Amino acid sequence: MVAVNKLAAEFLGTFLLVFTVALNVLTGDAVWGAMSIAAVLAVSIYAMGPVSGGHFNPAVTIACLLTNRIEAVDGALYMLVQVLGAQAAKYAALALLGQELVVGGAAYVPGAFCAELIFTFMLCYVVLGSACRSEPTQYFGLAIGFVIVAGGYAVGGISGGAFNPAVASCGNLAVVWKYIIAECLGAVLAVLLAKAVCPTLGTSEPDDVSSSSLVSKLTSEFVGTFMLVATVGFNVIGKSPAGALSIGMCLASMIFADGGVSGGNYNPAVTLALLLRGATDAATAGAYMVTQLLAGTAASAFYTYVAGAGTALGPSQGKDLTAAGVAELVFTFVLCFVVLGVATVKTPASPQFNGLTVGLCVVAGGNAAGAISGGSLNPAVSLGLFVAGKLGAAGGSIASLGTYILFELAAGALAAGMFIVVFAGEKAASGREARGYVVMPEEC
């Protein structure tokens, strides 16, 4: 039988999470709400994770059950106290503010099911990739919290951004079951794809990312690029107040979840830079790039369907294509150069947090170039925005697509050249793929 202190930790963590959700929703903080919720989740995971595992979410508990991280009876008790903690927080907020939390609003939006499914999937996938592998990490709490930043800003306007059946239990009774089904399906899908990326997950065998198969690597690249492009699309369509932050934290989370299996490229420009630096071979790079572009296209169809609108690729109003191309060149260069500087050197400064370092490049570039080019910084994103523009009748020209991709790939090549100049003492990476942003290859 599970220890009482573990149940107490799950109750308290879920209470704090839902109470934070309630106060942000009921006081109308649209700008910092998602960041506030992500912060309380991350710190609660770091504080109480050593006691209970820090689930605070029945979907996460389901994912842990399916990967043999917790016994069935213990999992059932976890889920019970999580729902009780959520309800206690709901009524505590009601007593404090005189208003009742209704997650997702009073009516069910058709796209909410897909939004809840995909970002609950992302949450559970990141949990499994960052906190449930055999090798312990320091970044797991941040990685999980960043998912809330990514999804909260991306689809908060569509579904309310619950991603958690305990949070959803505070919704309108007529639609609660739809949210819970979507979130549970997201957890199951996360387990299936996490096992495809790391076949030893849920077994007693140690993880060995250095021997990952090409299928595992391409699966990781597809999943990461899909989530990145989908997050971009939802932020653009929803006119998010913190789009660059949401997208950057999505990238950071997915890099952390990869755990060094594929290297977490999720960007053909990055893959090109790694190829020219000598950190991967041409066949692998080609397979990565095709997978990334396919994932970007699939994500564009997904977010266009869910949001009921498309996105237009091209310069911002009042800016020309040349200015947009230069902005894409400069900040895609920043992204690619930083990847090479932290992921392919012999002694990285902070390898446990390289995912955050790379994600912050998108925060920087998205905010700086967003008003000029939109801040794509990635050929897969550019292709996705273009396809969504055609699917959703939002516009976008072939000339814009060609210019964006050309400048972004040129930035990858330029980054590789500058890396060789700046890091003159670094050896070539032996014609093999770098293991990623978290675990570095000794050969480099």
Side-chain angles (χ1 to χ4, degrees), residues 105-367:
Y108 180 71
V109 179
F113 185 93
C114 294
E116 287 296 308
L117 188 155
I118 200 64
F119 280 99
T120 306
F121 155 78
M122 180 183 174
L123 178 63
C124 294
Y125 182 86
V126 170
V127 168
L128 294 174
S130 65
C132 297
R133 299 276 184 90
S134 60
E135 185 173 337
T137 67
Q138 298 174 357
Y139 53 74
F140 59 93
L142 288 176
I144 296 164
F146 289 159
V147 176
I148 307 302
V149 177
Y153 289 114
V155 298
I158 297 175
S159 70
F163 321 142
N164 182 333
V167 175
S169 73
C170 300
N172 186 296
L173 291 178
V175 300
V176 163
W177 64 273
K178 298 177 183 179
Y179 273 67
I180 292 175
I181 290 173
E183 291 153 358
C184 291
L185 288 175
V188 173
L189 181 60
V191 171
L192 294 174
L193 288 176
K195 281 181 169 288
V197 171
C198 182
T200 58
L201 183 68
T203 71
S204 58
E205 298 178 37
D207 303 329
D208 183 10
V209 297
S210 64
S211 61
S212 297
S213 69
L214 182 60
V215 171
S216 292
K217 294 174 183 177
L218 296 182
T219 301
S220 181
E221 286 296 309
F222 187 95
V223 172
T225 308
F226 182 97
M227 288 309 311
L228 176 62
V229 176
T231 301
V232 171
F234 284 125
N235 274 282
V236 171
I237 292 171
K239 296 180 172 55
S240 164
L245 178 63
S246 169
I247 297 159
M249 295 306 95
C250 173
L251 178 58
S253 289
M254 297 311 292
I255 290 171
F256 285 137
D258 173 72
V261 172
S262 72
N265 297 10
Y266 313 143
N267 184 333
V270 168
T271 301
L272 177 63
L274 289 167
L275 173 64
L276 296 178
R277 186 263 188 265
T280 189
D281 59 85
T284 301
Y288 273 35
M289 290 182 185
V290 170
T291 300
Q292 292 155 358
L293 293 172
L294 288 174
T297 302
S300 69
F302 176 78
Y303 70 69
T304 302
Y305 168 75
V306 173
T311 53
L313 175 69
S316 300
Q317 188 172 5
K319 303 297 188 295
D320 60 30
L321 196 53
T322 300
V326 171
E328 289 296 307
L329 175 73
V330 171
F331 287 100
T332 307
F333 166 82
V334 171
L335 174 62
C336 295
F337 184 78
V338 168
V339 168
L340 296 178
V342 301
T344 69
V345 294
K346 183 175 180 60
T347 310
S350 55
Q352 280 280 331
F353 294 96
N354 285 344
L356 176 58
T357 304
V358 176
L360 288 174
C361 295
V362 173
V363 178
N367 282 299

